Amino acid sequence: MSEEAVTIGWKAPSNIALIKYWGKRANQIPENGSLSITLANSTTTTFLTFNKKEKEDQLISVEYYFHGERQLQFEKKTDLLLNQLSSEIGFLKNYNLIFKSENNFPHSTGIASSASSMAALALCLVSMEEIITHNKLNRDDFFCRASTIARLGSGSASRSVFGGLVSWGLIPSLEQSADEYATPFIIHSTSRLNTIRDIILIVSAKEKSVSSTMGHSLMNHHPYKEGRKAQANENMVKIIEGIRKDNYQAIAEISENEALSLHALLMTSGSDGLLLKPNTIKIIEEIKYFRKTSGLDLFFTIDAGPNIHLIYYDDQRKQVLAFVESTLSQYCEGGKWIDDHIGNGPEQLSPALRN
Ligand code: DP6
């Protein structure tokens, strides 16, 4: 690296979807709208160091390090994304790019690492673009651009550039919504959803047999494809109403329906789509029983894997933690679970804080 090397750093969070993005068209356009909660504690930190090549080049030059080790799989994914972007961002080929990235949560725990890592990477690229072009974007344009780039890397990453509740995909009743980028879903400051928490129960930390990307492609010829789109749209309308009225019951019912529908689609995809484990089902049964007997407001959601996200509100934290310790942790691999909650979105680490 020459002396003029510049380093940019961003920390981006993961997110958990209540309405699931499942199925996509060309160019990472989702088949249906999705809605997620941005997490606070589960994050990826990425530093991008760039310096100008001595001669103009026709090739992207990128290296990607994960926890200090060269990560060729992610490097290939990054290279593909950068090549795709290079027709629009002409200067990319003229720089040596080195990404150094770390997750603060273990790999394959049901936390979408592609969401936080692609979001952090996209934020670094937009910061780099501002520096190279000397064109500082306003806050909204900056994050909208980062979301668009993150989407090209991984659909769910488009939502991780914002905090709070976030939607992605064209939703007729949401004015600002778009297929190309995510937008924050504004909730009232007094809404109970501002205090929502997520306990991630690690049933298995093994690599999944079907990746999300593969799962999306299995939707292309799925017999329930059209039905799924109609269901997701209907669930979106209902959850928006539920959120606006702070109606816990509606939010819980729709979220659980979405999680189980995702797995029903996976199981009927004609591949090895059974990702739930016996302990996943046991946890679901325990949650339902506890909810009935305790009267507490809690529900579950699941991503494309066996681990359960237990969603609840901060004012019931004491009882929920006791329930997890006494009953649910026995179904977790090595008794492991992760404590997280709704978060404010990404944070710039260097060169300067963007607020
Ligand atoms: C089940 O965003 O991981 O978590 O766009 O192929 O990278 P790619 O897929 P990805 O899919 C996430 C699917 C999901 C639901 C969701 O997060 O909305």
Side-chain angles (χ1 to χ4, degrees):
M1 282 275 162
S2 75
E3 275 177 42
E4 313 93 65
V6 175
T7 297
I8 288 160
W10 277 92
K11 180 159 90 174
S14 186
N15 68 75
I16 176 67
L18 300 182
I19 302 292
K20 309 289 182 186
Y21 144 54
W22 202 237
K24 60 178 160 184
R25 299 196 289 276
N27 214 19
Q28 294 278 106
I29 297 299
E31 288 286 8
N32 65 271
S34 56
L35 182 89
S36 58
I37 302 167
T38 296
L39 298 176
N41 298 337
S42 309
T43 58
T44 299
T45 298
T46 298
F47 287 94
L48 162 63
T49 302
F50 59 90
N51 74 330
K52 196 147 192 202
K53 292 178 185 170
E54 299 201 338
K55 282 195 218 126
E56 296 243 321
D57 197 352
Q58 284 316 304
L59 290 177
I60 292 285
S61 305
V62 61
E63 287 174 30
Y64 198 102
Y65 295 84
F66 186 63
H67 289 266
E69 306 247 332
R70 190 105 178 243
Q71 226 287 359
L72 294 178
Q73 210 183 328
F74 215 84
E75 189 168 296
K76 210 170 136 198
K77 227 178 154 186
T78 306
D79 186 64
L80 273 175
L81 174 65
L82 295 170
N83 270 294
Q84 193 183 346
L85 292 170
S86 66
S87 54
E88 188 199 336
I89 313 178
F91 61 76
L92 282 176
K93 289 181 174 165
N94 298 332
Y95 286 83
N96 297 304
L97 307 165
I98 298 182
F99 292 93
K100 291 186 179 163
S101 182
E102 289 189 1
N103 287 353
N104 72 347
F105 53 89
H107 187 58
S108 289
T109 51
I111 300 178
S113 64
S114 66
S116 51
S117 51
M118 278 299 174
L121 186 142
L123 288 157
C124 287
L125 286 176
V126 183
S127 286
M128 175 184 178
E129 192 177 31
E130 280 192 333
I131 293 171
I132 305 289
T133 61
H134 302 286
N135 178 24
K136 197 155 171 57
L137 300 175
N138 71 40
R139 193 188 149 83
D140 286 354
D141 290 348
F142 181 92
F143 287 102
C144 177
R145 177 136 182 83
S147 179
T148 307
I149 292 176
R151 177 198 105 238
L152 295 170
S154 178
S156 54
S158 66
R159 301 184 307 241
S160 269
V161 307
F162 300 106
L165 294 188
V166 184
S167 78
W168 168 44
L170 200 58
I171 301 150
S173 60
L174 280 185
E175 236 180 66
Q176 315 279 337
S177 65
D179 279 340
E180 291 76 19
Y181 49 85
T183 40
F185 186 99
I186 308 298
I187 48 176
H188 199 270
S189 62
T190 59
S191 169
R192 206 176 169 209
L193 283 155
N194 290 303
T195 69
I196 210 154
R197 301 195 65 102
D198 179 8
I199 286 178
I200 305 148
L201 300 150
I202 314 296
V203 170
S204 169
K206 278 206 200 83
E207 196 81 47
K208 302 178 290 186
S209 55
V210 180
S211 69
S212 294
T213 304
M214 201 192 288
H216 290 294
S217 69
L218 291 170
M219 283 309 289
N220 290 336
H221 304 289
H222 200 292
Y224 305 152
K225 180 178 175 178
E226 293 310 315
R228 165 59 193 158
K229 285 202 276 185
Q231 177 201 35
N233 293 338
E234 207 175 293
N235 277 346
M236 183 63 92
V237 171
K238 285 194 205 151
I239 208 165
I240 290 174
E241 201 187 314
I243 291 170
R244 292 204 168 127
K245 292 186 176 152
D246 232 338
N247 177 348
Y248 153 75
Q249 193 69 32
I251 298 167
E253 264 170 34
I254 295 156
S255 301
E256 291 187 355
N257 175 263
E258 277 288 305
L260 296 175
S261 299
L262 167 71
H263 282 272
L265 292 164
L266 265 161
M267 281 183 227
T268 47
S269 278
S271 78
D272 188 13
L274 178 52
L275 302 182
L276 302 180
K277 301 282 179 212
N279 279 353
T280 316
I281 307 295
K282 286 201 176 123
I283 290 176
I284 293 175
E285 284 175 343
E286 294 282 11
I287 290 173
K288 286 185 170 176
Y289 181 74
F290 178 72
R291 179 164 60 200
K292 207 165 159 191
T293 51
S294 69
L296 295 183
D297 295 344
L298 72 171
F299 63 91
F300 67 84
T301 184
I302 326 171
D303 261 345
N307 303 320
I308 295 266
H309 290 248
L310 175 60
I311 314 287
Y312 66 104
Y313 297 99
D314 194 46
D315 57 356
Q316 297 175 343
R317 179 163 167 78
K318 218 169 127 197
Q319 298 96 307
V320 173
L321 285 180
F323 167 55
V324 169
E325 285 295 7
S326 68
T327 311
L328 299 184
S329 62
Q330 63 178 308
Y331 303 114
C332 299
E333 199 171 88
K336 228 170 32 190
W337 52 273
I338 293 172
D339 191 22
D340 215 330
H341 58 92
I342 190 166
N344 296 330
E347 192 187 318
Q348 185 162 10
L349 306 172
S350 91
L353 295 180
R354 174 176 278 272
N355 47 37

